[in-house]
Amino acid sequence: MVVQAKKRELKEAQKRKKQLEERCKLEESIGNAVLTWNNEILPNWETMCCSRKVRELWWQGIPPSVRGKVWSLAIGNELNITHELYDICLARAKEKWRSLSTGGAEVEGEDAGFSAADREASLELIKLDISRTFPNLCIFQQGGPYHDTLHSILGAYTCYRPDVGYVQGMSFIAAVLILNLDTADAFIAFSNLLNKPCQMAFFRVDHGLMLTYFAAFEVFFEENLPKLFAHFKKNNLTPDIYLIDWIFTLYSKSLPLDLACRVWDVFCRDGEEFLFRTALGILKLFEDILTKMDFIHIAQFLTKLPEDLPSEEFFTSIAAIQMQSRNKKWAQILAALQKDNREMEKGSPSLKR
């Protein structure tokens, strides 16, 4: 018994030593990556961001200390939003909150098409959604250090884009940005991110365009995972059942936060295509399990993914997905489907009447 106990102790000691060595190796690797990003890449962003070396580093995950800066540069600011504009939108939001809380009904010109009930519902939804945003972290809920920041960004956005307003799921995107950027910069990144074609299609609930994205996704689904694709078809499991939640929150609700941030890293590099490639990577990773499940169990499984996803295995699965079908890339497939839809709409008798 003494010998067995000593053997166990030795095995545990060796295991701890190996874990410590791996942690030290990881910390050294992150430290070296931070130096490369800060000293070589960021000062020469325009010339280096598309180089093979940077793209490979990007895939490995951006170090947390430079992540916000890289995301800001990659997302860009096509909308030319300034810190001053954020302050103006926030001041308007605060004025509306005060007005609604005191029962006022004054409507500014740009909001004339939106009823007081709509605005109140939007503000109530923000309040409710904030309480459900990363509840395990306890930092965005009432009394938490980032509650007011998240509330401010979402409120300011409803004033900046009253035509879009607040849509469920936005709070997760804003929260991830808050964890990596200063408040005004997070608002700038948030507004520009939501202005991308895919995000705008989903957040404005453009059904036609959403169906086009789902159809493009299915082209690559069938190409990469024909067996699972056939199983989903047999069970009438359509992409909207699992993709909507993933796209609306950019995986930040479905995946562990550190893994979601790595998905965001490559999404900032590759654009919307990577969101759908990630979805296929998830399906590939769990293909064996999913092919044995029925409709209900597949839907439940994909709605709540396992929390202990190994990052390297996960990204290996994504890397194995080919985003090319019959020599056509994602953008070409999507454009062709959009063109077909437009032509169908033009030829529809109901639309001609």
Side-chain angles (χ1 to χ4, degrees), residues 106-224:
E106 62 267 24
V107 179
E108 290 179 32
E110 68 196 46
D111 276 355
F114 306 92
S115 70
D118 285 340
R119 294 198 306 279
E120 194 161 6
S122 196
L123 292 172
E124 281 303 313
L125 188 55
I126 288 174
K127 209 182 291 182
L128 180 64
D129 247 17
I130 287 175
S131 69
R132 298 186 293 208
T133 304
F134 298 120
N136 295 342
L137 297 181
C138 301
I139 55 175
F140 294 106
Q141 287 63 39
Q142 190 81 44
Y146 291 116
H147 172 271
D148 292 350
T149 309
L150 183 54
H151 199 253
S152 295
I153 286 177
L154 297 173
Y157 184 76
T158 63
C159 289
Y160 175 64
R161 290 297 302 263
D163 57 321
V164 180
Y166 179 77
V167 181
Q168 216 167 348
M170 283 182 180
S171 64
F172 278 89
I173 295 176
V176 173
L177 290 167
I178 287 165
L179 292 173
N180 290 279
L181 289 158
D182 292 336
T183 307
D185 291 326
F187 176 77
I188 292 168
F190 179 73
S191 302
N192 279 279
L193 196 51
L194 263 54
N195 201 52
K196 305 284 182 193
C198 180
Q199 275 59 53
M200 197 48 78
F202 277 76
F203 280 113
R204 293 192 83 164
V205 196
D206 182 334
H207 289 291
L209 198 44
M210 286 169 73
L211 288 171
T212 305
Y213 274 106
F214 295 148
F217 169 77
E218 288 203 296
V219 168
F220 293 96
F221 187 178
E222 186 174 16
E223 188 89 17
N224 284 276

Side-chain angles (χ1 to χ4, degrees), residues 17-290:
K17 188 186 175 188
K18 193 180 177 185
Q19 285 174 336
L20 187 63
E21 284 171 357
E22 283 174 357
R23 196 180 304 150
C24 290
K25 197 176 173 184
L26 180 65
E27 284 173 4
E28 188 184 348
S29 167
I30 291 170
N32 291 337
V34 169
L35 288 173
T36 304
W37 280 101
N38 276 328
N39 299 339
E40 295 177 36
I41 302 166
L42 290 173
N44 306 293
W45 178 256
E46 294 299 329
T47 54
M48 284 196 74
C49 67
C50 295
S51 69
R52 179 176 289 183
K53 178 188 174 180
V54 173
R55 287 182 67 81
E56 285 172 3
L57 261 181
W58 216 320
W59 179 268
Q60 290 161 23
I62 299 166
S65 61
V66 293
R67 184 167 263 151
K69 181 69 177 165
V70 175
W71 285 0
S72 282
L73 287 166
I75 292 166
N77 187 11
E78 283 184 1
L79 297 171
N80 295 315
I81 299 170
T82 60
H83 286 205
E84 290 73 27
L85 180 59
Y86 168 66
D87 291 337
I88 290 165
C89 291
L90 179 58
R92 281 185 189 168
K94 286 179 176 176
E95 186 54 48
K96 281 174 186 174
W97 293 332
R98 277 195 294 272
S99 171
L100 286 168
S101 65
T102 55
E106 62 267 24
V107 179
E108 290 179 32
E110 68 196 46
D111 276 355
F114 306 92
S115 70
D118 285 340
R119 294 198 306 279
E120 194 161 6
S122 196
L123 292 172
E124 281 303 313
L125 188 55
I126 288 174
K127 209 182 291 182
L128 180 64
D129 247 17
I130 287 175
S131 69
R132 298 186 293 208
T133 304
F134 298 120
N136 295 342
L137 297 181
C138 301
I139 55 175
F140 294 106
Q141 287 63 39
Q142 190 81 44
Y146 291 116
H147 172 271
D148 292 350
T149 309
L150 183 54
H151 199 253
S152 295
I153 286 177
L154 297 173
Y157 184 76
T158 63
C159 289
Y160 175 64
R161 290 297 302 263
D163 57 321
V164 180
Y166 179 77
V167 181
Q168 216 167 348
M170 283 182 180
S171 64
F172 278 89
I173 295 176
V176 173
L177 290 167
I178 287 165
L179 292 173
N180 290 279
L181 289 158
D182 292 336
T183 307
D185 291 326
F187 176 77
I188 292 168
F190 179 73
S191 302
N192 279 279
L193 196 51
L194 263 54
N195 201 52
K196 305 284 182 193
C198 180
Q199 275 59 53
M200 197 48 78
F202 277 76
F203 280 113
R204 293 192 83 164
V205 196
D206 182 334
H207 289 291
L209 198 44
M210 286 169 73
L211 288 171
T212 305
Y213 274 106
F214 295 148
F217 169 77
E218 288 203 296
V219 168
F220 293 96
F221 187 178
E222 186 174 16
E223 188 89 17
N224 284 276
L225 305 164
K227 188 182 168 189
L228 188 62
F229 178 79
H231 182 66
F232 274 34
K233 282 286 181 192
K234 185 183 168 188
N235 284 276
N236 295 316
L237 200 101
T238 50
D240 56 298
I241 290 166
Y242 51 96
L243 273 186
I244 283 180
D245 200 42
W246 293 353
I247 302 295
F248 265 114
T249 62
L250 301 179
Y251 295 95
S252 54
K253 185 182 172 187
S254 319
L255 295 174
L257 186 56
D258 58 336
L259 207 51
C261 284
R262 275 198 65 186
V263 168
W264 279 49
D265 290 344
V266 190
F267 164 56
C268 287
R269 186 193 79 173
D270 293 353
E272 65 183 37
E273 174 186 315
F274 190 70
L275 297 177
F276 297 93
R277 192 180 179 191
T278 298
L280 292 170
I282 291 169
L283 297 179
K284 181 176 175 62
L285 188 61
F286 297 111
E287 183 174 15
D288 293 343
I289 300 168
L290 294 167

Side-chain angles (χ1 to χ4, degrees), residues 298-316:
I298 293 170
Q300 285 175 342
F301 182 88
L302 295 177
T303 302
K304 188 160 175 55
L305 294 167
E307 290 177 14
D308 55 348
L309 275 171
S311 61
E312 291 316 311
E313 202 180 321
F314 179 67
F315 272 84
T316 300

